[in-house]
Amino acid sequence: EYYEIREALESLAIVLALPNLDDDTLDELQALVTRMRVEEEESAWAEMNERFHRTIYEASDRPRLTNMIAKLRDASKAYIHMYVARQNPATRSNDDHQEILDACRDRDARRAQASVSHHMRHTASELAGFIQRSEKQTAR
């Protein structure tokens, strides 16, 4: 449910943020995605992931919206850390992040919104599968 709500809120936030994302911020986000691609330590990657999303959504200039998103992200943080810790660094959501960033750089609101929705659904699906597999292993 968190991810369904986040999808709606983050899709709104990215559209509102697009006009406020200047080239310097986009370049900073690109440097972040580039570092995320090679980061092997999960907590460092998770922090960069958080910063990537926070930077975009704060550009929406909607503090209440940004705060709601942050609270929902915090609620699922423990699961994300467990999931990321068991992933191969090459298979993390870096391609999703690049697609989101590319849509922002192109000022394509529809594609940015679709990219965020895809990212939310993909992450929720992967996380749900991870939790189910973990529960099965624990039950054995």
Side-chain angles (χ1 to χ4, degrees), residues 107-119:
R107 307 290 182 206
D108 187 336
R110 187 173 290 166
R111 193 168 109 224
Q113 201 169 34
S115 297
V116 166
S117 290
H118 168 79
H119 179 52

Side-chain angles (χ1 to χ4, degrees), residues 73-86 127 130:
R73 291 180 66 81
D74 282 345
S76 57
K77 193 176 281 191
Y79 294 109
I80 293 294
H81 279 277
M82 287 187 302
Y83 173 65
V84 170
R86 287 163 179 79
L127 187 55
F130 166 75

Side-chain angles (χ1 to χ4, degrees), residues 15-137:
V15 170
L16 295 170
L18 276 179
N20 302 322
L21 290 169
D22 60 26
D23 288 341
D24 288 341
T25 303
L26 293 170
D27 291 345
E28 175 188 323
L29 290 167
Q30 184 61 66
L32 195 57
V33 170
T34 300
R35 287 197 323 267
M36 290 169 74
R37 287 188 182 281
V38 297
E39 181 58 58
E40 293 188 20
E41 208 277 307
E42 72 271 359
S43 63
W45 187 91
E47 159 54 31
M48 287 186 277
N49 176 60
E50 182 63 31
R51 192 169 46 193
F52 174 84
H53 289 282
R54 185 178 62 243
T55 299
I56 292 173
Y57 304 141
E58 286 177 350
S60 71
D61 200 26
R62 299 298 195 285
R64 286 185 181 98
L65 175 61
T66 303
N67 188 44
M68 288 169 33
I69 292 169
K71 286 181 180 182
L72 289 166
R73 291 180 66 81
D74 282 345
S76 57
K77 193 176 281 191
Y79 294 109
I80 293 294
H81 279 277
M82 287 187 302
Y83 173 65
V84 170
R86 287 163 179 79
Q87 276 186 311
N88 178 328
T91 63
R92 293 179 181 151
S93 301
N94 299 316
D95 290 341
D96 285 359
H97 293 128
Q98 187 65 58
E99 177 55 34
I100 292 167
L101 181 56
D102 290 346
C104 289
R105 193 174 292 281
D106 292 343
R107 307 290 182 206
D108 187 336
R110 187 173 290 166
R111 193 168 109 224
Q113 201 169 34
S115 297
V116 166
S117 290
H118 168 79
H119 179 52
M120 289 293 104
R121 290 176 186 173
H122 175 248
T123 303
S125 174
E126 291 291 317
L127 187 55
F130 166 75
I131 291 169
Q132 288 172 349
R133 288 188 301 277
S134 295
E135 288 174 349
K136 285 180 183 176
Q137 289 175 349

